[in-house]
Structures are given as structure tokens and as C-alpha cells.
Amino acid sequence: MCELLRAVLDGDEKADLRQLLDQLRANHRERYFLKNQILQAFEDYCNNYQKPAYFSRTSALGELIHYTHEIILEKESVWFIVRPKIASQDICRLAVDLSHFESMPVEAWLNLQDRFISGDATGLSDSPTGHEGTVATSGVLEIDVRPFYESFPTIRDPRNIGKGIEFLHRYLSSQLFANTKSGRDNVPSQQWLEAFLDLLQNSEYEGTPLMINEQINSTTQLSQQVKRALTFVGERPADEPYEQFRAKLQVLGFEPGWGNTAGRVRETLELLDRLIDSPDHGVLDAFISHIPLVFRIVLVAIHGWVNQEDSLGRPLTTGQVVYVLNQARSLEKQLQEDIKLAGLDVIGVQPKVIILTRLIPNSEGTKSHERLEKIHGTENAWILRVPFPEGNTNVTQNRIPRFELWPYLESFAQEAEKELLAEFKGRPNLIVGNYSDGNLVAFLLARRFKVTQCSIAHVLEKPRYLFSNLYWKDLEEQYHFSLQFTADLIGMNGADFIITSTYQEIVGTPEQWGQYESYKYFTMPNLYHVVDGIDLFSPKFNVVPPGVNESVFFPYTQNSERVASETERIKALLFTHEDSQIMGYLEDTSKRPILALASLYPSKNLTGLVECFGQSPDLQERCNLIVVTGKVRPDEAKDSEERGEIEKFQQLIDQYNLHGKVRWLGLRFTTPDSGEVYRVIADCGGILVHPARFEAFGLSILEAMVSGLPTFATQFGGPLEIIQEGESGFHINSTDLVGMAEKLLQFISRCDQEPNYWNEISQRAIKRVHDKYTWKNHTKQLLGLAKIYGFWNYASVENREALLRYMEALFYLCYKPKAEQLLQKHMQQ
């Protein structure tokens, strides 16, 4: 029940609620209100009725409004979505006369939304039965994953969401090898122990057995032989190479994989011995990190243009390409370290990492037409490109936009399976999907290979497009959300574990829903109802932020790492050099520079920053604005959104007469050049502004911070967790242009008054990245997750198989028919 609503109705503020709802009905044509509209209407109400300042927040009504995220007005009812705490929503229906209210099920809310879409222009239609909210929409599929998660362990405290591996370690160690007080075997524990034994027995690399052999064929023998092996290695010098006593360990039942020296073998065996005798989640974590279970990894990144030079993706996908390339390099390095410590390098074990992407014959000057390309700076990491099959004999020749590629993913996965088997000479151990399309392919491949699947969304499109699920039919021609949202449900539920960059990516903030939370329940009218789309409390969620490439992005003070001629070249490009792809000049290059870098799309809000600058004479007086977008001419735009932003940018420069104050660079900087761009701006005491309307994470923010550049980034999304407000940077409300200008001016004024203030923020930004955002930390956590979730799902396969089959049914019933329809349309064009 909605206790907040009850408090208002039972208190002195019932009349205020009535007047507020009357105001909503009278002053607005719409009947569906979101949080910002609700807050604004309440603020207007408080002003109109001269309510005291405390009323808007600390009164019972103020508290209710603060936690209300959606309101729908019906003729006889008012519906509230109230979110009193993170990851918890109440649906309440209030009688229009405020005489009573009731808690409503999700199904009723979805039916209501359907009726809203089919209602008349002024509001909602009456329910056909006269009882609003209880009529099911006939013939609509209901998707509900809740029953499949009921048998899984679950996190209870919302503060621990995203800490799945910590929870799982504690859960497993409470079951593994445990006995009841009476001395009888605990049946579930015995099941887990036997599963663990089975996993070790089946460990192998290209036919070579690892960990244990047929000498150990029971859990009792495992315990006995571990103690014998400990006695044996304890008598040997700690630095004695494993090869010198390998044969004797094999007689005891232990194959390679325990360590490269007697000391390392003893350490690993001691951890296992402690687990058997007195299980503890810390010991389990340490033991799992010691044993080699992962050698071959696939990173699926479908978008295309996965290249290492010049063309790092395309606008809106560049960050993902940089991410997977850096991840691949770091994974190979970490695997090499782990394999060496396990003593497997001497028997020829070599890790291999493959980025699986799309081959594009018409590659537009990139290497996207090459089947195989080695990743720079690696020994055995590759980009493998597989074409999109088209018909029985052809392949697609050109790049297909990300919203149009859905019909090709199943056949792509089938071809990729053959290519991966050939490249690995066997199955991979881990498949990591990236974005909606990559996660669907990862699901299909993981089902075929029967291996562990990791999902990384990067960004989920559903919460980025307002009402995208309700009005999916209107948007289908351009975005095909019916396919994308279905792929998201399959990818996130099919994954063994999910990596996010931030906590709020999962469940948001007290003010805003998380990206994954937006999939909890929703309707796509006349297609399906999602009654429960994801378990937010599942231990499959883990917050594992990425890092930065510190060989490229490093502090501006490290002059020994910088090349003077490159610094001067970049400085000239930013401030003075004339070029057909550079628009604008700077009258006074000594002013403090404000830098912004992004693609010109509405979501990046660069035109909002230009407008903010144009509206502030004080900013113009004290700063120059330098914007790097990659394009400056409308005829270069790839689509209407980008073209519109370029034209708007040009218009704003003229409207506010920003000539001589703005430099607009339509250049594509290489990755090393981008690092020097940040450092040059830092040399000049400048700042970076990242004004996106929403940013899921923001690698460019980390890159700027580690370069020593004070950074102002949107408060909507990942930057809220990356930046410590006022310590390592600043948050901005990118929708409040006046407030954004004021915050920038406050910082600049303080820098002028306190000469060391800029440097203090700069140094704390560098420290923040070094402490928390490194690729080594990321990959160590990722590999630890792969091992523990691989074991978890290996041991509980019966429980998980039902959910996987449900996802397969969703693929064949919902996804595939629509994908085939879209393919037919493509073939006819």
C-alpha cells in the first residue's frame, strides 16, 4: 500500500491534494504526467497559494509529490506511481473524489497505459466494463520472468545491488563443504562439492587435462589428497619450478594449474584445504582467483567500423569501440599473468582474445573489409570480422545502421560460430556481449557453445527515448524498438552475469529510475506486456567500471612523456590554425579555454553548451569556447539528427554573435592526439565541459580527469558516481543553461582569487582515476566474475535452464517473426 498517499488523505493536506489535481486537470491538455512535470506543477501550486517554504518538501503532500514519478488522470480515478525508495515502486489508484484509494497490480497499470494510447485526444476512454484498471488487454502476450528467479538466491538490501560477486561468494561458501551439526551430510552441500569436483576434473586446454586427474574421483579423496600434496610441496624450496616436481604431483592426482613454483602450488592448495575444513567467502574468492578456468574470450561488438586507426567507430559508437579494444588488450595481459602464475605457460597454454564484429566489404577506407586483424600491442588478440549473410549465397556489402541490423543477427551468429571454432580450435570459455545487438548474439552463441555469457549494455535505448515503448508503433519505421527491447530482455536475462559501469545504471537515484529498472515492467501496446522483465536484486548484477589507456591519457605535468613538436601542433590546431574543417577564430587566445568534445547529436547537447555560452556575457568576457565535433558542415551529416544539430550550431553562433569567441573543429583526432588535446587545454588552465542530457558512463570524462583537466559533467547518469562533487570535479544540470553558466563562473572566479585552486581540483581528479578507474582492476574483476559465475551456473544448471528456454521461446515467438518481416522489407528496397 502507498503509505505516503494514506498520510495525505488522513491529514490536513487532503484539500491541497484536491486543489493540485484540479489544477492539473484545468491547466493541461495532457493526462499523463512525468516527474519533472509533476514537480513543476506542485511548485506552481505552492507559489499560487503562497505556501510556506517548508511545505514543498517536508509536508506530507510535499513528500508524496517528491516520490511520485508518474500520474495518469482518468475520469473517475487518479493513478500514481510512487517510488519511496530505490528499486521499489507502488502503484496506487485514488478515487477522483479522494474518498478512497487502493494498491493496484502491475497488470492493471499496463492495461491503463494501453487504454491511454488508444484513448481520445483529451484523455482516457472509459473502461469497457465500467471498472477501470481491471480489464486485461485481449490477445497480448505477457512476459514475466519472476517465477524463474524465485529459486535463485537474492540480494535484500538495495544498497548491495551491483555487488553480486560479494553476495555469491558468501552464499556459496555457506553451502560448499558444509555439514550439519548432527554430523550428517547436508545434501545440498554435497551437491555443490561434487559439482566443484566435477568442474576441476573437466578442466582442460586443447585436450591436455588440468587441475586433477582420474586419481581423484570422490570428494573424500579430494580432501585426503590435498593434505598429502601439501605435505609434499611443503618440504620443497618455495622457488622450485613446478616442472621439477610435476610428475610426483600427478601421481597424487594433481595436474598442471596449481602454480608455477612450489610456493605458489602450496598457497593454492592451502586455500582449497581451508575451504574444505572451514569455508569462508574471502578464501573462496582467493581460491577462485588462483585457478585457471578462462583462456579464450570473445568480445562481441556488432556495430561495425571496429578499427584501430583513424575510424574508431562512428558517432555514438566510438566510445564502445575504444572500450572493447582497451578491454581486449587488458584481458590478454591479465590472462598471460594468470597463466604464468598457474604454471601453464611452460606447457604451451596461450590465451586468445577475439573481438567479434561485422565485416563490411565497402569499408570506406577503413579495415572493416579484412577478415582478421591483430590488435596493436598484443600477442594473441584479434579482431575477427564476419559478414552479414544475405540470402543463401550473398553477403551485405555496405554498413547497415544500428537500428536496421536486427534481421541479420541470427545468421551472423551461425556463421560466427564456425569462424570462432576455427580460430580457437575449440570452444571459448567466456563470451561478452556489448550493446543490445552484441548481447543478443552473445546469448545465441553461449547457448550453442554452452559457455558463460556476460552482458554489457553500455546504454539501453528504452529510457533514452521518452515513451518509446508506449509509442513504439509510431517509432518503428525509424528505430525498430519492438526488436531492440525484445533483444534487451533476452540479453539481460540470458546472461550469466551483467557488468555495469555504475550503480545507478541498474537502479538509478532517488530522483531517477535506472536504465535496467526501466525494464522492470512496461507495455508495448498490441505487442506484449512485460509484467516483470528483470530481477534487479539478482546477484548477476556487478558494478565494474572501465579504465583509461594510461599510456595515452596521462597527466599534463608528465613532460617527459610528451613530445614538444606534437604539443605545438595540437596547440595550433586548437587555437590558431586555419583549415576548411575549422570554423571560427579567437580574438584573445589568452582567455581561459572551455573545451567540449562529442559527436553532434541532440543527446550530447553541445548546442546547449553553445547557447549557455551565448547567453552569458561574463563567460564570453573571461573564456573562449573550443568545441571538437568531427564535422562542421551539414552535407557531411550521416542522418537528420546530426544535420539538425550542425545547422543549429551555426545558427547559435550568428544569433549570439560569438565570432571571435568560439572555435569549432570538425576534425577527427587520433587517440594519441586526443590525449594531447586534454593536456594542452590543461596547460592553459582550462576546463572540460561534458553537457550531455544523459551519459551512461563517459570514458572521455575519465580521460580528461586523468590528464589533469578540471571537469564539469552532466549530473544525469554515470558522471554522478565518477566525479566527487567539489572534490575531483563538478556536476552540472545540463537542462539549466543559466545554472550551468553560474557554476562555471563560480569556479573561474575562485581560481582567480585562489591561484592554487585549479591545481587542487586537477590533482584530485588524477588521483580519483588512478584509485578507482584502471583497466587492470576492471579485467581482474571481470575474470573473477567469469570464474565464479561459471561455477555457479555449472552447479545449478537445472534451475537456470528453465529461464534460458523461456528466453529462447521469446526469441522465436517475438523476435524472429519481426526480424524476418524487416528482412523482407530490406530485400524489396
Side-chain angles (χ1 to χ4, degrees):
M1 280 291 190
C2 181
E3 298 303 324
L4 292 172
L5 184 54
R6 183 186 300 279
V8 173
L9 296 179
D10 291 346
D12 299 330
E13 295 160 16
K14 184 174 181 179
D16 290 298
L17 176 57
R18 186 189 306 278
Q19 289 174 315
L20 174 61
L21 294 175
D22 288 343
Q23 178 179 294
L24 284 175
R25 290 185 186 276
N27 297 346
H28 300 271
R29 291 186 60 191
E30 65 265 28
R31 293 290 180 261
Y32 201 139
F33 300 91
L34 299 181
K35 186 174 182 66
N36 287 341
Q37 296 169 294
I38 297 166
L39 291 173
Q40 185 61 55
F42 186 55
E43 182 181 340
D44 293 343
Y45 172 79
C46 292
N47 291 334
N48 293 340
Y49 287 87
Q50 299 181 339
K51 294 292 182 180
Y54 76 85
F55 187 82
S56 65
R57 286 302 296 264
T58 59
S59 67
L61 180 57
E63 190 176 5
L64 172 65
I65 294 301
H66 177 72
Y67 289 119
T68 298
H69 282 252
E70 298 180 35
I71 289 177
I72 292 182
L73 303 178
E74 280 197 289
K75 292 181 179 180
E76 301 299 328
S77 304
V78 181
W79 293 66
F80 292 80
I81 295 285
V82 183
R83 188 170 175 263
K85 57 184 179 180
I86 282 177
S88 176
Q89 306 89 29
D90 292 330
I91 302 170
C92 303
R93 185 176 68 174
L94 173 66
V96 72
D97 61 1
L98 277 59
S99 60
H100 65 279
F101 75 93
E102 57 185 326
S103 180
M104 300 299 291
V106 167
E107 293 88 340
W109 174 259
L110 301 181
N111 291 335
L112 173 70
Q113 289 183 308
D114 284 355
R115 296 203 309 279
F116 174 81
I117 296 304
S118 61
D120 60 33
T122 59
L124 297 176
S125 303
D126 287 327
S127 167
T129 68
H131 189 71
E132 295 174 331
T134 62
V135 180
T137 305
S138 61
V140 175
L141 175 68
E142 281 194 351
I143 299 170
D144 186 358
V145 301
R146 180 177 47 217
F148 301 100
Y149 285 96
E150 287 176 349
S151 61
F152 296 167
T154 186
I155 293 170
R156 298 189 182 279
D157 189 339
R159 293 171 296 182
N160 292 328
I161 291 173
K163 300 177 182 178
I165 194 168
E166 296 177 19
F167 172 87
L168 207 54
H169 277 313
R170 288 192 294 269
Y171 177 80
L172 289 175
S173 63
S174 71
Q175 296 194 32
L176 282 170
F177 320 115
N179 293 316
T180 61
K181 291 182 179 179
S182 65
R184 291 176 301 170
D185 284 342
N186 181 313
V187 175
S189 300
Q190 187 65 25
Q191 172 191 336
W192 286 97
L193 178 54
E194 290 174 354
F196 193 79
L197 174 66
D198 194 33
L199 179 67
L200 293 177
Q201 285 176 327
N202 285 288
S203 295
E204 58 86 27
Y205 175 81
E206 294 186 356
T208 300
L210 305 177
M211 306 311 297
I212 61 177
N213 57 37
E214 67 279 358
Q215 301 294 324
I216 299 173
N217 52 36
S218 72
T219 56
T220 301
Q221 278 188 320
L222 177 63
S223 178
Q224 294 170 346
Q225 294 303 94
V226 164
K227 295 185 186 310
R228 291 192 180 101
L230 275 171
T231 300
F232 170 73
V233 295
E235 298 171 350
R236 315 191 79 81
D239 59 353
E240 182 178 351
Y242 167 74
E243 277 298 292
Q244 294 185 15
F245 55 88
R246 173 184 175 183
K248 293 183 179 179
L249 271 185
Q250 285 178 313
V251 172
L252 293 173
F254 298 94
E255 293 293 335
W258 296 93
N260 60 338
T261 64
R264 180 72 178 187
V265 171
R266 182 171 63 249
E267 183 180 333
T268 308
L269 288 170
E270 283 175 347
L271 288 169
L272 179 55
D273 191 47
R274 287 171 62 189
L275 276 177
I276 294 172
D277 291 341
S278 54
D280 173 79
H281 69 273
V283 177
L284 177 61
D285 186 18
F287 178 69
I288 289 292
S289 70
H290 273 60
I291 60 175
L293 297 174
V294 179
F295 310 108
R296 310 180 188 96
I297 300 175
V298 181
L299 309 176
V300 187
I302 301 295
H303 283 340
W305 308 120
V306 177
N307 291 273
Q308 304 182 74
E309 300 159 357
D310 299 328
S311 178
L312 287 168
R314 283 291 187 263
L316 298 182
T317 65
T318 300
Q320 185 186 131
V321 173
V322 173
Y323 182 107
V324 295
L325 285 170
N326 286 332
Q327 188 183 58
R329 294 186 184 99
S330 186
L331 279 169
E332 187 205 42
K333 186 176 181 180
Q334 188 61 52
L335 285 172
Q336 288 172 336
E337 291 179 14
D338 292 349
I339 286 170
K340 184 175 181 180
L341 279 173
L344 297 180
D345 56 327
V346 296
I347 64 169
V349 174
Q350 184 182 24
K352 189 167 189 174
V353 180
I354 288 177
I355 297 175
L356 174 65
T357 189
R358 187 187 344 167
L359 185 143
I360 307 173
N362 293 340
S363 56
E364 299 184 19
T366 71
K367 291 188 177 182
S368 292
H369 63 287
E370 295 184 5
R371 176 184 175 275
L372 202 60
E373 180 185 358
K374 191 174 183 181
I375 297 173
H376 300 334
T378 68
E379 294 181 22
N380 200 22
W382 304 83
I383 301 171
L384 173 65
R385 301 184 181 93
V386 176
F388 277 177
E390 189 172 54
N392 295 325
T393 57
N394 299 324
V395 299
T396 58
Q397 296 295 304
N398 301 311
R399 177 183 180 269
I400 299 171
R402 63 195 176 106
F403 290 121
E404 299 288 334
L405 48 70
W406 305 107
Y408 307 96
L409 296 183
E410 183 182 16
S411 55
F412 172 84
Q414 292 167 351
E415 292 300 314
E417 179 187 358
K418 303 172 190 173
E419 298 282 355
L420 290 169
L421 285 170
E423 288 300 319
F424 284 130
K425 297 182 176 63
R427 298 183 305 161
N429 307 114
L430 172 65
I431 299 176
V432 181
N434 292 274
Y435 191 65
S436 304
D437 46 20
N439 283 316
L440 182 68
V441 170
F443 169 77
L444 297 172
L445 287 172
R447 287 295 281 162
R448 294 286 295 174
F449 287 130
K450 300 188 184 307
V451 298
T452 305
Q453 176 199 349
C454 167
S455 169
I456 305 176
H458 295 279
V459 66
L460 291 163
E461 300 291 351
K462 180 177 171 291
R464 292 180 67 179
Y465 292 82
L466 190 62
F467 292 135
S468 54
N469 58 293
L470 289 180
Y471 295 102
W472 70 273
K473 285 188 176 180
D474 297 334
L475 301 168
E476 189 74 352
E477 182 70 22
Q478 182 176 1
Y479 295 112
H480 305 292
F481 285 146
S482 65
L483 285 159
Q484 180 143 17
F485 298 167
T486 306
D488 286 333
L489 290 170
I490 294 170
M492 63 181 68
N493 285 291
D496 295 295
F497 65 98
I498 297 171
I499 281 180
T500 70
S501 298
T502 62
Y503 170 84
Q504 64 179 292
E505 189 178 332
I506 310 169
V507 287
T509 67
E511 289 74 32
Q512 186 176 13
W513 288 39
Q515 291 191 63
Y516 282 94
E517 189 178 7
S518 72
Y519 284 76
K520 184 65 178 174
Y521 56 84
F522 63 95
T523 176
M524 299 189 80
N526 300 119
L527 182 63
Y528 56 61
H529 283 176
V530 177
V531 176
D532 195 325
I534 184 67
D535 181 3
L536 299 170
F537 289 83
S538 168
K540 71 165 55 182
F541 283 104
N542 289 273
V543 177
V544 184
V548 292
N549 185 345
E550 295 183 67
S551 65
V552 174
F553 300 99
F554 53 83
Y556 75 103
T557 52
Q558 290 181 205
N559 291 319
S560 61
E561 303 294 324
R562 301 174 68 179
V563 179
S565 59
E566 289 299 295
T567 299
E568 290 303 314
R569 179 177 65 85
I570 296 297
K571 186 174 182 179
L573 286 173
L574 291 173
F575 292 95
T576 59
H577 182 73
E578 294 184 6
D579 188 282
S580 61
Q581 290 300 108
I582 299 177
M583 297 184 66
Y585 65 97
L586 301 178
E587 291 176 344
D588 182 359
T589 58
S590 66
K591 291 181 181 180
R592 194 183 298 270
I594 298 173
L595 174 68
L597 305 89
S599 53
L600 264 175
Y601 276 84
S603 61
K604 298 300 182 182
N605 197 35
L606 289 182
T607 52
L609 176 60
V610 176
E611 191 164 8
C612 165
F613 188 76
Q615 291 177 359
S616 175
D618 288 341
L619 270 181
Q620 296 173 42
E621 178 67 26
R622 304 172 73 175
C623 301
N624 289 317
L625 179 61
I626 301 173
V627 183
V628 180
T629 65
K631 296 172 186 174
V632 295
R633 304 183 188 287
D635 58 5
E636 298 174 325
K638 289 290 185 181
D639 54 48
S640 59
E641 283 188 327
E642 190 177 26
R643 186 179 304 107
E645 287 296 285
I646 292 174
E647 291 170 349
K648 184 177 179 181
F649 199 118
Q650 294 171 339
Q651 172 197 333
L652 289 169
I653 289 177
D654 293 334
Q655 178 182 341
Y656 292 105
N657 191 24
L658 298 178
H659 303 287
K661 303 171 185 177
V662 174
R663 285 270 285 180
W664 180 12
L665 285 71
L667 304 175
R668 282 190 171 275
F669 286 105
T670 64
T671 302
D673 281 355
S674 296
E676 195 60 25
V677 166
Y678 295 128
R679 291 187 287 270
V680 167
I681 297 297
D683 290 335
C684 302
I687 59 178
L688 176 88
V689 178
H690 191 87
R693 294 174 183 170
F694 175 84
E695 182 60 66
F697 185 68
L699 274 175
S700 62
I701 294 168
L702 293 183
E703 293 165 356
M705 289 173 66
V706 80
S707 302
L709 194 56
T711 299
F712 292 72
T714 179
Q715 67 187 36
F716 304 116
L720 198 62
E721 292 182 37
I722 295 174
I723 293 173
Q724 300 157 302
E725 173 64 25
E727 292 291 323
S728 55
F730 304 89
H731 303 129
I732 52 176
N733 182 345
S734 49
T735 64
D736 178 5
L737 302 186
V738 173
M740 183 161 39
E742 289 177 354
K743 195 153 192 178
L744 295 174
L745 285 166
Q746 287 172 3
F747 174 77
I748 292 165
S749 296
R750 187 168 175 182
C751 288
D752 292 342
Q753 295 165 7
E754 304 174 30
N756 198 44
Y757 183 60
W758 185 96
N759 186 60
E760 290 175 2
I761 299 296
S762 171
Q763 292 303 308
R764 288 199 289 262
I766 295 168
K767 185 177 186 302
R768 174 69 171 168
V769 177
H770 283 163
D771 287 350
K772 188 167 183 179
Y773 299 101
T774 67
W775 277 112
K776 185 171 182 62
N777 287 342
H778 172 94
T779 49
K780 288 187 75 170
Q781 290 182 71
L782 173 57
L783 291 174
L785 291 167
K787 292 175 183 179
I788 196 69
Y789 283 91
F791 168 57
W792 160 251
N793 291 314
Y794 185 89
S796 60
V797 65
E798 296 85 3
N799 293 333
R800 187 168 151 70
E801 184 63 22
L803 176 60
L804 294 176
R805 288 189 178 276
Y806 189 65
M807 290 301 106
E808 285 182 334
L810 189 58
F811 175 82
Y812 287 108
L813 291 174
C814 293
Y815 180 91
K816 189 167 182 176
K818 282 201 164 291
E820 290 175 343
Q821 290 175 13
L822 183 56
L823 181 60
Q824 289 299 317
K825 182 178 177 182
H826 285 184
M827 300 290 285
Q828 294 168 4
Q829 290 176 347

